[in-house]
Amino acid sequence: MYVAASTHCFADKPFAEACSQIVDLEFDKLELWLSETRGDLRPADVAAEPERFAGRYREATRLTPIAICLAESPSPDVLAGLSKWAKLLRVTQITIPASPLGTPFNTEIDQLREAVGITSGDGVRLSVKTETGHLTEDPHTAVELCRAVKGLGLTLDPSYYVAGPHRGQSYDLVFPHVYHVHLRDSTAEQVQVPTGLGEIDYSRLINQLHREGYNLALSVDLLPGHTDPELRPLEMRKLRMLLDTLL
């Protein structure tokens, strides 16, 4: 396993500036976070010109890209373009949000099967994020999605199981399906707190991932709205150093 940083931590900054700050914090691997409403990398724009945006990435930073995360569910055409962009960057992991709570299970299955079919053609794995307000907020439903859609995995964000409506329940059943991991410290009351003051048991989490043969990224993914901009670099550095000591 290795530690990476998500550009989501700097969603309020231009892409090149976010990359520069991540380099200053001594990360060498990067997760690319894209949103249609925030930042200057819009999924629809990137999907329309994947070759141009691959060149733009190489001009902006020498950080190794390891994953792409989308803030909103993409249309099939946008996902196809982003999958080609991922292939150009030699990225093999894309995360999308699951549908909101209330979405019929069979409707979600059909959508995810189509999405997995699109990315798998480019050798890119697709996962849905475990997140409050979405079908994956219940770990059992998250696992059922993976069982119903061949090739689908989970991007585990334990904060939403520690602080969400299913807090206090075990989520060990999701570990065999984990393709990617997002991390920050959390308590039952707050989805993000300063590193070291929360309830995330990083050592146990890493051991559980080891048991399942997971050897990919642990992505530092601070929530911009829950982070004092002045303290953000310190919090990212603290979490990186903590994870490095456990690996």
Side-chain angles (χ1 to χ4, degrees), residues 32-67:
L32 295 152
W33 181 83
L34 279 68
S35 171
E36 294 290 354
T37 60
R38 297 187 69 182
D40 57 351
L41 277 182
R42 295 178 62 250
D45 294 340
V46 175
E49 300 181 279
E51 292 84 3
R52 182 169 79 85
F53 279 91
R56 178 180 169 185
Y57 179 88
R58 297 185 184 102
E59 291 172 1
T61 183
R62 293 184 180 181
L63 288 163
T64 301
I66 53 89

Side-chain angles (χ1 to χ4, degrees), residues 15-171:
F15 175 70
E17 184 177 344
C19 292
S20 178
Q21 293 203 33
I22 288 170
V23 169
D24 290 344
L25 293 170
E26 300 181 353
F27 289 88
D28 61 0
K29 295 179 176 60
L30 185 71
E31 177 173 11
L32 295 152
W33 181 83
L34 279 68
S35 171
E36 294 290 354
T37 60
R38 297 187 69 182
D40 57 351
L41 277 182
R42 295 178 62 250
D45 294 340
V46 175
E49 300 181 279
E51 292 84 3
R52 182 169 79 85
F53 279 91
R56 178 180 169 185
Y57 179 88
R58 297 185 184 102
E59 291 172 1
T61 183
R62 293 184 180 181
L63 288 163
T64 301
I66 53 89
I68 295 167
C69 181
L70 306 182
E72 301 91 17
S73 295
S75 68
D77 287 346
V78 168
L79 183 60
L82 292 172
S83 183
K84 289 180 172 58
W85 185 52
K87 187 175 182 180
L88 290 168
L89 295 178
R90 299 184 180 179
V91 167
T92 59
Q93 167 62 38
I94 293 178
T95 299
I96 62 173
S99 291
L101 286 175
T103 302
F105 189 80
N106 287 340
T107 299
E108 178 73 335
I109 294 302
D110 291 342
Q111 293 172 345
L112 291 174
R113 283 177 176 164
E114 181 180 14
V116 168
I118 290 169
T119 62
S120 63
D122 290 314
V124 177
R125 301 196 308 176
L126 187 75
S127 59
V128 287
K129 184 179 172 83
T130 61
E131 190 173 9
T132 301
H134 298 259
L135 292 175
T136 50
E137 77 167 26
D138 180 347
H140 292 87
T141 303
V143 169
E144 286 304 314
L145 289 173
C146 293
R147 289 173 175 166
V149 181
K150 184 179 180 181
L152 181 71
L154 297 174
T155 290
L156 173 61
D157 190 326
S159 292
Y160 293 106
Y161 289 149
V162 170
H166 295 272
R167 58 182 173 269
Q169 300 179 21
S170 171
Y171 55 90

